[in-house]
Amino acid sequence: MYLAVSAGDKARYANPPGDKQDGTRRIAEISAGGEVAANTLNQFSAANRRRREICIMTITALVIFEVKAGLTTALEAAMNTLLEATRNDTGFVRCDRYRDTQDPTRYVFHEVWDSKALLDEHLRTAHVACFLRTIMPLLDGKDVRILQGF
């Protein structure tokens, strides 16, 4: 039996507290251990159910920025400033930032919020208004999608 897990899951589920073993080796040992393997699979299943429940209950904002050539550093600085302020907003769950590997002028914000109402509240804050004033001259375009899991 093999378990496909992320590095974070390896750290969380495969290595018991105080265990300094490599996560991959530990999972192989667990997989060969019968009852322990079943318990580990139950932990993974429970974690996946929790992730699924969170996905259904939350709102995701997917924002794609097309920045003008030569202005990527300014956009990254503005994104970092916004994220620092946003972490304190009510309803903020997380924000992942990406830069396109094929097009270095394309950036993606992947934000997760507790509700659409709290996302809307965030969009009315002073730090979002400041961010938009700062980045609009830097952009060739942007696309915003608000998504909900199902």
Side-chain angles (χ1 to χ4, degrees):
M1 175 186 333
Y2 295 94
L3 300 175
V5 296
S6 69
D9 283 339
K10 285 180 187 176
R12 224 178 352 269
Y13 298 108
N15 295 330
D19 186 348
K20 303 294 184 197
Q21 294 182 11
D22 170 67
T24 304
R25 192 171 84 218
R26 180 71 179 147
I27 286 178
E29 291 171 6
I30 289 171
S31 296
E35 182 180 323
V36 177
N39 289 338
T40 302
L41 285 173
N42 288 338
Q43 288 177 338
F44 280 116
S45 296
N48 286 336
R49 279 193 301 277
R50 282 191 300 278
R51 285 188 193 111
R52 180 81 180 124
E53 290 167 2
I54 289 169
C55 178
I56 291 171
M57 296 182 322
T58 58
I59 293 293
T60 297
L62 191 63
V63 186
I64 301 170
F65 299 105
E66 304 281 342
V67 65
K68 294 175 183 173
L71 299 176
T72 58
T73 303
L75 178 67
E76 289 175 9
M79 290 170 87
N80 290 336
T81 300
L82 175 66
L83 183 54
E84 285 303 313
T86 298
R87 284 188 174 120
N88 297 318
D89 288 354
T90 302
F92 173 79
V93 176
R94 81 167 198 270
C95 177
D96 300 313
R97 298 163 295 167
Y98 303 95
R99 186 175 190 178
D100 192 315
T101 60
Q102 305 267 314
D103 180 357
T105 65
R106 182 177 294 136
Y107 289 80
V108 178
F109 251 14
H110 174 247
E111 299 180 40
V112 180
W113 292 86
D114 282 334
S115 71
K116 175 74 166 77
L118 293 171
L119 170 60
D120 291 341
E121 186 178 309
H122 159 72
L123 295 174
R124 292 188 295 270
T125 62
H127 51 272
V128 170
C130 179
F131 173 73
L132 292 174
R133 279 192 310 272
T134 302
I135 67 159
M136 290 312 287
L138 309 175
L139 300 181
D140 277 334
K142 70 177 173 69
D143 185 25
V144 178
R145 304 293 170 130
I146 307 300
L147 310 168
Q148 184 170 13
F150 61 94

